[in-house]
Amino acid sequence: MSWGTELWDQFDNLEKHTQWGIEVLEKYIKFVKERAEIEINYAKQLRNLSKKYQTKKNSKEEEESKYTSCKAFQNTMNEMNDYAGQHEVISENMTSMIMAELTRFVQELKQERKSHFHEGRKAQQHIETCWKQLESSKRRFERDCKEADRAQQYFERMDADINVTKADVEKARQQAQIRHQMADDSKGDYSSVLQKFNHEQQEHYHTHIPTIFQKLQDLEERRITRLGDSLKTYAEIDRQVIPIIGKCLDGITKAAESINSKQDSQTVVESFKSGFEPPGDIDFEDFTQSMKRTVSDTSLTNNRADVKSDPKTPGKSRGKLWPFIKKNKPPPPPPASASPSAVPNGPQSPKQQKEPLSHRLNDFMTSKPKIHCFRSLKRGLSLKLGATPEDFSNLPPEQRRKKLQQKVDELNKDLQKEIDQRDALTKMKDVYMKNPQMGDPASVAQKLIEIGSNIEKLRVEVQKFEGWLAEVEGRLPARNDNSRRQSALYETQNTAPVNNCAQDRESPDGSYTEDQSQETEVKVTPTEFDDDFDDEEPLSTIGSCKALYPFDGENEGTISVAEGEILNVIEEDKGDGWTRIRRNEEEEGYVPTSYIEVYLDKTAKDS
């Protein structure tokens, strides 16, 4: 069925229909464009979501990645990243295979349609011109016929009138003849134009218009076919990524199946095991000997007994022993390895040689604490804010041993790498010396010197950490000698001072302070401890600093800063990578030294 024969008189309707078809195609192109934008935005949001929950380097989350459940979650995030990539593929394919192709096709259709309708309008104008010529010839023929008829009637009247001269009659006759001749000429012209118009009309409606309409029909059918092919491509693009998406989902399932609760439980043991043994039985302490003392000693003993019998005093001592913990944190119990003699104000073990009570009470009341010990306590607590000491002394023995062993392995690996590089350069130098044309031996001499220096430094580091490791392994008791370890533990505790900043003494929040040999024994009553510590003057300003980068300050003891903010420096970096700053009288804390630019006062530098 052809448009040229069936729709020969529907030129305007065909023009509207073909325009509508192109608009439908443009509408579909717009739909594909919006779908591609949705896919790319969805992929972008998935990537941002995956990136948001990825493990951050040098953070607490990196330590958590050793658990199988956390590894499975990270693998899920990686698979989601690949999943997002498939949606990006969908967007790219729809843009290149559908939208771009259809856009070019629509432009071609518009140009072709415009050309066809231009030919159709030209044919219509031609047939209309022929029709106008026919009408003009017809009207002229009609007019000439009427003029000839009137001239003939006038001649007949003049010829019948006896009062008209012969000359007038002859003139009327000649005029009638002229009009008849003009009518005959118009008739011939009209006949010729009519034949020509009929021929042109035949060509127009049976040749030109059918050809043009057939081209328009082919154009419309190609548009419809192309639209159908694009819909198939649309479905095929989605179908192509389904296998890869299925693999991503299989990866997520595999990650979920890799979770091992028993292994995670064992990892918790390895991560937090301290290496200490639970405390043993507390020895019985006999206080009946005090009844044989003198009256003066008894009065002093009664006073001391009052102190011991007051349940608030030990609680206050324990509550004030660690002033840096949060206020809402309850007072912690004594350390797990503490013996009764290690508790402040606690009774002395009968095994110890007892001094006269008056002498011990006098020493206890007159001694003053050394505040630098509390400074080291605060410094030890600041290590938990992110600045780990080089020897990992803030960790329990077992954890410290693992960290030191890990550090020794890393240093040995770096040392071996430097040694291999030195050996390779040495061989290269020997080759250059034997064959000078291959290279200059002096070119590698400087590099060999640098590598030798690095090797020496690494060996010193290895020896240092191996010494610390041997020290820790020597302190850790043997696992098959519980009784000897327990007695040695009590012996150490009974001879240790009460308020020493000991290396292996545990703070309420799990940190460890410095070695016993570095601090002096401090004997102080709870009230003197509180007064001397609470009345400590705040640190003076030693300079200023400018924040180069923003810092959140989420950990306890840190302070958040904004980029470009100017603050006061109250304590320099002690080598642990942290600087103590102050914003106002109530806001101060530690920030990473690499995040700020410090400007120290000249007087502070001199002092």
Side-chain angles (χ1 to χ4, degrees):
M1 187 173 292
S2 173
W3 286 7
T5 57
E6 302 294 336
L7 303 175
W8 60 270
D9 57 344
Q10 300 298 321
F11 185 88
D12 294 338
N13 288 331
L14 288 180
E15 184 177 15
K16 294 178 181 178
H17 176 76
T18 52
Q19 178 63 30
W20 170 82
I22 291 178
E23 290 176 356
V24 169
L25 203 56
E26 290 177 339
K27 184 178 180 180
Y28 177 69
I29 293 174
K30 186 178 179 181
F31 160 75
V32 174
K33 180 180 179 181
E34 293 183 2
R35 165 71 191 278
E37 291 176 353
I38 290 174
E39 292 292 340
I40 196 67
N41 290 333
Y42 180 55
K44 183 179 180 180
Q45 291 177 2
L46 282 180
R47 286 192 183 277
N48 291 338
L49 182 65
S50 177
K51 183 179 179 181
K52 178 181 179 182
Y53 288 97
Q54 284 283 1
T55 300
K56 307 297 187 299
K57 292 185 178 180
N58 299 327
S59 66
K60 184 179 179 182
E61 295 179 0
E62 192 172 11
E63 294 292 331
E64 297 173 354
S65 61
K66 58 190 175 183
Y67 298 104
T68 59
S69 56
C70 294
K71 289 180 181 178
F73 180 70
Q74 292 306 316
N75 291 335
T76 301
M77 294 299 99
N78 295 333
E79 296 295 342
M80 289 304 298
N81 198 40
D82 297 339
Y83 183 88
Q86 297 310 307
H87 286 278
E88 290 177 349
V89 171
I90 292 176
S91 176
E92 293 173 0
N93 290 341
M94 286 186 174
T95 302
S96 60
M97 299 173 63
I98 297 180
M99 194 171 70
E101 295 293 332
L102 285 184
T103 301
R104 288 194 296 268
F105 181 69
V106 166
Q107 295 299 326
E108 294 174 359
L109 287 183
K110 287 182 177 180
Q111 293 294 332
E112 186 177 353
R113 175 181 174 277
K114 182 179 180 181
S115 175
H116 294 333
F117 279 103
H118 178 70
E119 293 178 4
R121 290 190 182 91
K122 188 176 180 180
Q124 281 188 337
Q125 289 177 358
H126 178 70
I127 197 67
E128 288 176 359
T129 300
C130 293
W131 172 256
K132 288 179 180 179
Q133 290 178 356
L134 177 62
E135 287 293 322
S136 177
S137 176
K138 179 181 177 181
R139 286 194 298 270
R140 186 169 61 252
F141 172 61
E142 183 181 5
R143 184 178 65 251
D144 290 344
C145 288
K146 290 180 180 180
E147 291 293 334
D149 187 47
R150 284 197 296 270
Q152 182 65 30
Q153 292 177 4
Y154 179 72
F155 167 70
E156 291 177 357
R157 285 197 306 271
M158 292 293 288
D159 187 39
D161 191 357
I162 60 175
N163 295 324
V164 178
T165 62
K166 187 176 180 180
D168 292 335
V169 173
E170 184 63 24
K171 184 179 179 180
R173 186 182 63 80
Q174 291 178 357
Q175 188 67 27
Q177 289 178 353
I178 293 172
R179 291 297 179 182
H180 279 288
Q181 184 64 37
M182 291 176 64
D184 291 339
D185 294 340
S186 298
K187 181 179 179 180
D189 185 54
Y190 171 64
S191 176
S192 175
V193 171
L194 179 60
Q195 290 178 1
K196 181 181 178 181
F197 174 79
N198 289 334
H199 176 72
E200 293 293 339
Q201 184 174 257
Q202 183 73 17
E203 289 292 327
H204 178 77
Y205 287 110
H206 293 84
T207 303
H208 297 307
I209 291 299
T211 302
I212 294 173
F213 282 7
Q214 186 62 40
K215 292 180 180 179
L216 290 173
Q217 182 178 357
D218 294 340
L219 181 146
E220 181 68 9
E221 290 176 355
R222 280 190 287 114
R223 178 193 68 81
I224 296 172
T225 303
R226 190 60 174 271
L227 180 60
D229 294 340
S230 298
L231 291 174
K232 291 180 181 178
T233 305
Y234 178 86
E236 189 63 27
I237 289 173
D238 275 338
R239 187 177 289 110
Q240 288 176 354
V241 301
I242 289 178
I244 304 178
I245 291 178
K247 290 182 179 179
C248 294
L249 299 178
D250 292 341
I252 295 175
T253 303
K254 185 178 180 181
E257 293 174 351
S258 67
I259 297 177
N260 190 332
S261 58
K262 298 295 183 181
Q263 183 177 344
D264 284 356
S265 298
Q266 182 62 29
T267 304
V268 173
V269 174
E270 296 175 357
S271 300
F272 300 108
K273 183 178 179 180
S274 65
F276 293 131
E277 288 293 329
D281 297 336
I282 299 176
D283 296 333
F284 176 78
E285 299 185 19
D286 189 5
F287 294 96
T288 56
Q289 297 178 5
S290 60
M291 297 189 307
K292 301 177 182 180
R293 297 173 184 252
T294 61
V295 176
S296 59
D297 288 341
T298 304
S299 61
L300 291 175
T301 305
N302 291 337
N303 292 335
R304 181 163 180 84
D306 294 337
V307 174
K308 290 188 291 185
S309 61
D310 187 3
K312 297 181 180 180
T313 302
K316 182 176 180 182
S317 175
R318 288 195 298 271
K320 293 293 184 176
L321 184 58
W322 295 96
F324 302 102
I325 59 176
K326 295 182 179 180
K327 295 181 179 180
N328 57 356
K329 189 171 182 179
S337 60
S339 63
S341 61
V343 180
N345 298 330
Q348 297 293 327
S349 172
K351 297 179 182 180
Q352 291 182 332
Q353 183 178 358
K354 291 184 171 56
E355 300 177 2
L357 182 60
S358 58
H359 293 171
R360 288 190 292 137
L361 186 60
N362 185 42
D363 292 340
F364 187 76
M365 296 296 291
T366 57
S367 62
K368 290 289 185 178
K370 294 188 177 181
I371 300 302
H372 73 275
C373 179
F374 305 129
R375 290 280 190 188
S376 64
L377 281 179
K378 293 202 291 183
R379 200 67 189 172
L381 285 175
S382 69
L383 296 176
K384 288 186 67 63
L385 305 179
T388 305
E390 188 179 15
D391 60 351
F392 304 105
S393 58
N394 63 319
L395 299 176
E398 183 69 22
Q399 301 302 319
R400 185 185 180 197
R401 183 189 64 79
K402 292 181 180 179
K403 287 289 185 180
L404 289 173
Q405 184 64 52
Q406 181 180 357
K407 187 67 176 180
V408 168
D409 295 340
E410 293 176 358
L411 290 173
N412 285 328
K413 186 183 297 183
D414 295 339
L415 179 60
Q416 186 61 40
K417 188 184 299 183
E418 293 290 336
I419 293 175
D420 294 341
Q421 188 175 1
R422 183 192 62 183
D423 296 341
L425 288 176
T426 303
K427 293 180 181 178
M428 185 183 296
K429 184 178 179 181
D430 295 339
V431 172
Y432 287 169
M433 293 178 66
K434 295 179 181 178
N435 301 298
Q437 67 274 12
M438 297 183 64
D440 184 11
S443 61
V444 297
Q446 184 63 29
K447 187 65 177 177
L448 283 173
I449 295 175
E450 294 179 1
I451 293 177
S453 177
N454 294 337
I455 290 175
E456 290 301 322
K457 292 179 181 179
L458 287 173
R459 283 175 176 169
V460 170
E461 288 292 316
V462 169
Q463 292 176 0
K464 179 173 63 174
F465 279 94
E466 285 180 345
W468 287 334
L469 180 60
E471 178 186 356
V472 174
E473 290 179 344
R475 288 184 180 182
L476 287 176
R479 298 180 181 273
N480 58 357
D481 194 0
N482 294 332
S483 60
R484 183 176 59 186
R485 174 173 59 246
Q486 191 66 37
S487 62
L489 185 62
Y490 276 122
E491 209 173 330
T492 302
Q493 292 170 345
N494 289 334
T495 58
V498 174
N499 287 331
N500 263 4
C501 300
Q503 179 182 7
D504 292 333
R505 292 290 303 276
E506 186 178 5
S507 65
D509 54 355
S511 65
Y512 290 80
T513 57
E514 302 161 353
D515 200 337
Q516 290 181 358
S517 61
Q518 298 176 356
E519 299 295 341
T520 313
E521 178 180 354
V522 177
K523 297 181 180 180
V524 63
T525 60
T527 55
E528 288 177 339
F529 179 94
D530 298 340
D531 296 338
D532 288 335
F533 188 82
D534 294 338
D535 294 339
E536 182 184 0
E537 294 181 0
L539 296 176
S540 60
T541 301
I542 61 173
S544 61
C545 67
K546 179 181 179 181
L548 302 177
Y549 311 100
F551 179 64
D552 295 334
E554 298 177 351
N555 294 328
E556 181 182 355
T558 60
I559 183 172
S560 60
V561 296
E563 183 177 355
E565 187 177 4
I566 305 297
L567 304 104
N568 295 324
V569 177
I570 59 176
E571 186 176 350
E572 286 187 85
D573 186 355
K574 302 297 184 182
D576 53 10
W578 292 84
T579 301
R580 192 174 180 183
I581 63 174
R582 176 185 295 152
R583 178 178 286 112
N584 50 45
E585 294 298 325
E586 296 181 355
E587 291 186 69
E588 65 179 50
Y590 289 91
V591 295
T593 306
S594 59
Y595 278 54
I596 60 175
E597 185 176 3
V598 180
Y599 310 95
L600 294 179
D601 295 339
K602 184 177 180 181
T603 57
K605 292 181 180 179
D606 296 339
S607 61

